Amino acid sequence: MQPLHLYNTLSRKKELFEPLNPPYVGMYVCGPTVYNYVHLGNVRTFLTFDTLYRYLTFIGYKVRYVRNLTDVGHLVGDGDEGEDKIGRMAKLEKVEPMEIVQRFTNDFHNVMAQFNTISPSIEPTATGHMVEQIEAVQTLLAKGLAYESNGSVYFDIDAYNQRGGNYGKLSGRILDDLLNETRELDGQSEKRSPLDFAIWKNASPEHIMRWNSPWGEGFPGWHLECSCMSMKYLGKQFDIHGGGMDLKFPHHECEIAQGDGLTGVEPVRYWMHSNMLTVNGQKMSKSLGNSFLPAELFAGNHPLLDQPYSPMTVRFFMLQSHYRSTLDFSNDALKAAQKGYRRLANGLRIAKTLTYQPATDESGPISEDKQQDIRQAVQQFYDALNDDLNTAVGIAQLFTLLKYINMLYLNQLQSATLGEEVFNLLKSSFVSFMQDVLGLTEEGSYNQSILEGLLTLYREYKEQRQYDKVDQIRTYFKAQGLAIKDMKHQIDWAYEE
Ligand SMILES: [Zn+2]
């Protein structure tokens, strides 16, 4: 089996993953700013790193996974000037900022649970780490890497670069180009250079979220929280930092400068970024009216959606493409994903019930071809995930395994033909790849004994040739998104594909 390789945005190549202190892995992912409903682009990022977390755990690493909640300091427009996103919503709704934070934190947790993501090990908040942020500002001032101006404190990029820093190295931005882009902006006169970014901001009188500091009342800059919280829980250097592509610049670039400035050590070893979502080939954005919320997707109540799509369908859909590729939402693609997911879900349900039947006199010989095919598919699943978490290729292998699960179920293949070892490999790999690694579970909570009872009635009515009753039972199943599988050797139910 090839070892795990991950694409590092910093080096722009796939690198062998070697954690600092194996078997421990430290992973930090930028969480949401909790001022509104989480959007699907963010969901893709969180599903990507949930899958990475699952896979690292599955192959034996002990992962401390930190994903923060931004509850202060992220300003409208993502820059250094203007209203706080949360403060603005609080004013609009005439509530406390923390009520906005609580409401959208709850929503975020609900959505994450619907997508079957595992909660991070630690979920720290920016407001809960005010002391750490003020101390970091003091340290950067003491080191001459920041300066105070009118009660705000800015990170000094010139000073940082003069001491060997390389601001722009993550995103590949060139400082002169950035300066040209920003030269015309107003309101930055209190900065020495327009590229400098706020690590502490003086609060204007109308700004409601404010804390005491050595520089007067204010609030921390957006980029600082992630440096402080990752350092606190993962150390001054840690293994993996993840986030959406849109955070590469300036947010992650600033995190590197802050971390390096504070400790003299490169804070992150592997930077990973997930790509954007598009809708029917266009960038998903509120202004284009083509962005929908997870809740709208689940309910199907958006003009661009033909029907509802379940959380597992969407999870499967997202994992069907590699996280560094753009992913296009369309009804056709989602419907195909629904079919694919349901085929796998049926396989999962069946796989759990399959048991090995030892060879009898009638069993044929062991099929070495089939054994080989199954072993190879299992191997290639690992190889795909080890190749920069290529879930798309991994899922293709899952369908190879599914073919054998279905042959066993339909009595087209006897488990003795595979031999006990390969049968167990098939069953356990299929179940754990799907559930534990990809996080795909069966949907809907059906009472198994009621379904069994209905199937018993179905058999009886069929024997008595009461076909109207038989059809009635089929209708009940169909209304629940289920189908009756009337096979030669058994009658069973399945998820309608
Ligand atoms: Zn962050």
Side-chain angles (χ1 to χ4, degrees), residues 58 344 347-357 374-375 377-378 382 398 400-406 408 413 415 418-436:
F58 185 71
L344 288 176
L348 185 62
R349 191 181 73 79
I350 294 163
K352 287 177 184 169
T353 63
L354 291 177
T355 52
Y356 184 72
Q357 307 297 327
I374 289 166
R375 284 205 178 99
V378 169
Y382 284 107
L398 212 50
T400 302
L401 299 180
L402 176 66
K403 186 180 74 183
Y404 289 102
I405 304 264
N406 283 336
L408 289 164
L413 174 68
S415 50
L418 300 176
E420 190 162 11
E421 191 201 327
V422 172
F423 170 85
N424 287 334
L425 178 74
L426 169 67
K427 177 174 166 163
S428 68
S429 302
F430 184 83
V431 171
S432 57
F433 291 170
M434 190 168 160
Q435 282 194 152
D436 302 338

Side-chain angles (χ1 to χ4, degrees), residues 19-20 57 65 86 106 112 186 203 228 253 287 292 299 307 314 350 353 376 380 387 434 465 490:
L20 278 170
T57 307
Y65 170 24
I86 288 156
N106 292 348
M112 288 296 102
D186 292 331
C228 292
E253 202 75 71
S287 55
F292 25 78
Q307 60 161 82
V314 178
I350 294 163
T353 63
Q376 191 175 312
Q380 287 178 352
D387 181 16
M434 190 168 160
R465 295 169 190 267
Q490 66 164 327

Side-chain angles (χ1 to χ4, degrees), residues 188-446:
Q188 295 184 329
S189 54
E190 61 181 39
K191 295 184 186 182
R192 289 180 189 165
S193 155
L195 293 185
D196 295 348
F197 58 91
I199 50 180
W200 186 266
K201 277 294 284 183
N202 174 44
S204 57
E206 67 276 11
H207 200 96
I208 37 182
M209 302 183 79
R210 54 206 299 148
W211 285 259
N212 276 322
S213 81
W215 316 283
E217 284 196 352
F219 57 91
W222 171 37
H223 314 303
L224 190 59
E225 55 169 293
C226 289
S227 288
C228 292
M229 297 188 287
S230 61
M231 201 180 299
K232 175 162 180 159
Y233 299 111
L234 300 173
K236 56 186 180 181
Q237 191 180 52
F238 58 94
D239 298 305
I240 299 172
H241 192 312
M245 206 76 104
D246 52 334
L247 292 182
K248 222 181 338 180
F249 184 86
H251 186 58
H252 292 159
E253 202 75 71
C254 296
E255 276 191 59
I256 293 179
Q258 291 165 159
D260 183 12
L262 284 166
T263 67
V265 174
E266 188 73 38
V268 176
R269 290 163 50 89
Y270 302 88
W271 279 97
M272 293 177 69
H273 292 95
S274 62
N275 213 326
M276 303 284 122
L277 291 183
T278 55
V279 182
N280 300 322
Q282 272 191 313
K283 187 178 187 290
M284 188 181 263
S285 91
K286 264 187 198 150
S287 55
L288 290 172
N290 68 351
S291 89
F292 25 78
L293 295 169
E296 292 173 315
L297 204 52
F298 303 158
N301 59 0
H302 184 281
L304 284 173
L305 299 169
D306 291 354
Q307 60 161 82
Y309 300 99
S310 74
M312 283 300 108
T313 294
V314 178
R315 184 173 179 120
F316 173 76
F317 173 67
M318 289 194 179
L319 293 178
Q320 260 186 318
S321 77
H322 187 239
Y323 74 91
R324 284 194 293 117
S325 320
T326 55
L327 173 61
D328 190 49
F329 264 73
S330 69
N331 283 290
D332 287 349
L334 282 163
K335 282 175 198 166
Q338 175 175 298
K339 202 170 164 59
Y341 158 69
R342 288 187 182 168
R343 283 177 61 204
L344 288 176
N346 277 325
L348 185 62
R349 191 181 73 79
I350 294 163
K352 287 177 184 169
T353 63
L354 291 177
T355 52
Y356 184 72
Q357 307 297 327
T360 59
D361 293 344
E362 283 114 71
S363 308
I366 283 194
S367 164
E368 284 178 17
D369 284 356
K370 290 190 171 66
Q371 285 187 327
Q372 174 67 17
D373 199 27
I374 289 166
R375 284 205 178 99
Q376 191 175 312
V378 169
Q379 180 63 51
Q380 287 178 352
F381 180 90
Y382 284 107
D383 289 346
L385 273 88
N386 285 338
D387 181 16
D388 192 29
L389 204 70
N390 198 330
T391 51
V393 173
I395 283 172
Q397 303 309 321
L398 212 50
F399 278 102
T400 302
L401 299 180
L402 176 66
K403 186 180 74 183
Y404 289 102
I405 304 264
N406 283 336
M407 284 165 76
L408 289 164
Y409 177 66
L410 295 169
N411 239 355
Q412 295 163 351
L413 174 68
Q414 302 309 309
S415 50
T417 310
L418 300 176
E420 190 162 11
E421 191 201 327
V422 172
F423 170 85
N424 287 334
L425 178 74
L426 169 67
K427 177 174 166 163
S428 68
S429 302
F430 184 83
V431 171
S432 57
F433 291 170
M434 190 168 160
Q435 282 194 152
D436 302 338
V437 178
L438 301 176
L440 296 167
T441 55
E442 290 180 65
E443 264 172 337
S445 48
Y446 301 107

